[in-house]
Amino acid sequence: SDTILEVKNLKKHFPIKGGIFGKVVNSVKAVDGLNFEVKRGETLGLVGESGCGKSTTGRLLLRLLEATEGEVIFEGQNILDLDKKEMRDLRREMQMIFQDPYASLNPRMTVGEIIAEPMKIHGIGTPKDREKKVKDLLDRVGLQPNYAKRYPHEFSGGQRQRVGIARALAVDPKIIVCDEPVSALDVSVQAQVVNLMQDLQEELGLTYIFIAHDLSVVRHISDRVAVMYLGRMVELADKDELYNNPKHPYTKALLSAIPIPDPEKTREKIILEGDVPSPINPPSGCSFHTRCPFAKDRCKTEVPKFEEKVDGHFTACHYSDEI
Ligand code: SF4
Ligand code: MG
């Protein structure tokens, strides 16, 4: 079908223990009720300030973290219902590329061993087959096949991220969660890595969830973009619709911070006051009300529903039609 992944009421609350008995006294509402779909072959950008729950969401989608509540339906099956063995088999289809190409590669393993490891874990091929596949993958990500014998420390950040991409591709996944894959890299190599990822997506028919902390990074690569604030999604739309016609005040504020390439156009300026509140006791009602220049009394008590306002354009704001 058109939908590869469906997320329903997904939550992750981390308990906080306190007192001499170590009882659970509160919780960090890292992810607090997400509902969205991912279409086959698309790139869904997932954007928000640090602490908004975007990395936690990425991990929940692959079940690298256990959800507190909700469903993650991959190709019609709720993966949160699977047992360990079933989940291990399924993980072939769902891979992750991590933010830090320095920390995510084992320094004691050769690049060839690193890329072959997921195949070994899943029992794919003979050692000879895997050696051949490693060389193919290195070539695919723009590295020389003889790099397989070298160690991660011999490479630059951009090259290491290419190794991370090759490792994710080794088991022929359908969907890859990319957690800020270029934010640790020099600006000069960011575009190269993003372009490589786009080429691979086209060649291999991959679906990406691309996590980033600002809207400028995901603009180029995304088909649709979702904006998160304090564990919830506040807006989701086709890329151009979101950038040209944002409906949520938070999205408008994030866009205000990005320069507009076309000098003919102007954009409403919304400057955010204050910091993101703590996800331990997030503000009541609309959790953005403490920073929103349009907040009214109702916003303090009533949680706005995440609703489709026009075709494919979802937002969670009581007043998005008037603002
Ligand atoms: Fe602002 Fe109210 Fe809309 Fe929340 S619901 S974004 S506080 S206007
Ligand atoms: Mg993060």
Side-chain angles (χ1 to χ4, degrees):
S1 79
D2 197 30
T3 300
I4 189 165
L5 197 72
E6 202 180 340
V7 173
K8 291 185 182 171
N9 193 32
L10 188 64
K11 291 187 184 176
K12 179 66 184 178
H13 292 180
F14 293 100
I16 300 171
K17 292 174 181 172
I20 50 171
F21 300 113
K23 281 203 301 195
V24 174
V25 292
N26 211 330
S27 64
V28 178
K29 284 92 183 163
V31 172
D32 206 20
L34 296 182
N35 293 281
F36 64 97
E37 291 180 0
V38 184
K39 295 175 188 167
R40 193 179 298 279
E42 79 166 337
T43 297
L44 175 66
L46 194 58
V47 173
E49 291 166 282
S50 67
C52 72
K54 54 195 193 297
S55 292
T56 305
T57 301
R59 275 154 218 269
L60 291 173
L61 298 184
L62 304 194
R63 217 175 147 190
L64 299 173
L65 256 181
E66 290 297 324
T68 309
E69 207 182 310
E71 292 173 56
V72 176
I73 300 162
F74 174 72
E75 298 193 317
Q77 187 173 40
N78 181 8
I79 68 164
L80 306 189
D81 286 342
L82 301 178
D83 65 27
K84 269 210 173 107
K85 156 99 179 53
E86 292 168 323
M87 193 58 227
R88 204 172 48 231
D89 293 345
L90 190 76
R91 194 151 290 133
R92 260 190 88 165
E93 319 264 353
M94 314 172 86
Q95 290 287 306
M96 186 140 182
I97 299 169
F98 296 91
Q99 174 172 4
D100 187 348
Y102 297 90
S104 60
L105 305 179
N106 186 336
R108 287 183 201 84
M109 287 166 79
T110 64
V111 161
E113 287 166 344
I114 289 168
I115 296 171
E117 197 186 28
M119 294 186 267
K120 236 172 136 180
I121 290 170
H122 290 282
I124 300 167
T126 63
K128 258 244 125 26
D129 296 336
R130 293 199 285 265
E131 206 184 304
K132 183 176 178 301
K133 176 110 183 190
V134 166
K135 291 194 170 137
D136 291 346
L137 286 164
L138 283 168
D139 185 49
R140 231 181 226 295
V141 300
L143 296 173
Q144 291 179 33
N146 63 14
Y147 285 1
K149 294 191 189 73
R150 301 205 197 162
Y151 288 86
H153 74 260
E154 300 176 56
F155 296 103
S156 68
Q159 289 172 317
R160 285 186 217 202
Q161 197 54 294
R162 288 171 192 265
V163 173
I165 293 167
R167 175 177 59 185
L169 293 176
V171 289
D172 301 321
K174 292 182 179 159
I175 188 162
I176 302 182
V177 173
C178 317
D179 187 4
E180 301 203 40
V182 297
S183 43
L185 305 177
D186 288 344
V187 176
S188 59
V189 297
Q190 286 186 356
Q192 294 168 18
V193 173
V194 168
N195 289 341
L196 168 69
M197 291 177 67
Q198 277 186 305
D199 291 345
L200 292 167
Q201 177 173 45
E202 233 166 80
E203 286 164 32
L204 305 169
L206 298 165
T207 303
Y208 288 150
I209 295 165
F210 197 104
I211 298 170
H213 60 267
D214 83 61
L215 279 165
S216 59
V217 176
V218 293
R219 176 156 204 172
H220 182 57
I221 195 169
S222 302
D223 298 296
R224 294 189 303 150
V225 174
V227 177
M228 285 183 74
Y229 187 77
L230 278 176
R232 293 187 187 144
M233 233 172 235
V234 297
E235 187 153 13
L236 167 63
D238 282 347
K239 170 179 65 179
D240 291 334
E241 167 74 3
L242 188 108
Y243 285 79
N244 296 329
N245 189 21
K247 289 184 179 295
H248 195 281
Y250 181 60
T251 310
K252 292 185 186 194
L254 292 181
L255 284 169
S256 296
I258 303 175
I260 307 175
D262 181 352
E264 298 280 292
K265 289 189 182 167
T266 54
R267 197 185 267 144
E268 186 187 359
K269 276 258 174 256
I270 297 178
I271 308 298
L272 282 184
E273 308 271 346
D275 294 325
V276 183
S278 163
I280 298 173
N281 290 305
S284 59
C286 173
S287 57
F288 187 55
H289 84 253
T290 54
R291 300 171 82 197
C292 181
F294 308 102
K296 299 188 177 135
D297 277 348
R298 180 186 175 196
C299 304
K300 295 180 191 160
T301 53
E302 209 180 307
V303 180
K305 285 203 186 81
F306 186 63
E307 284 176 328
E308 191 168 9
K309 304 281 168 159
V310 285
D311 208 16
H313 193 155
F314 295 79
T315 190
C317 170
H318 296 308
Y319 301 105
S320 62
D321 295 333
E322 297 153 45
I323 292 165

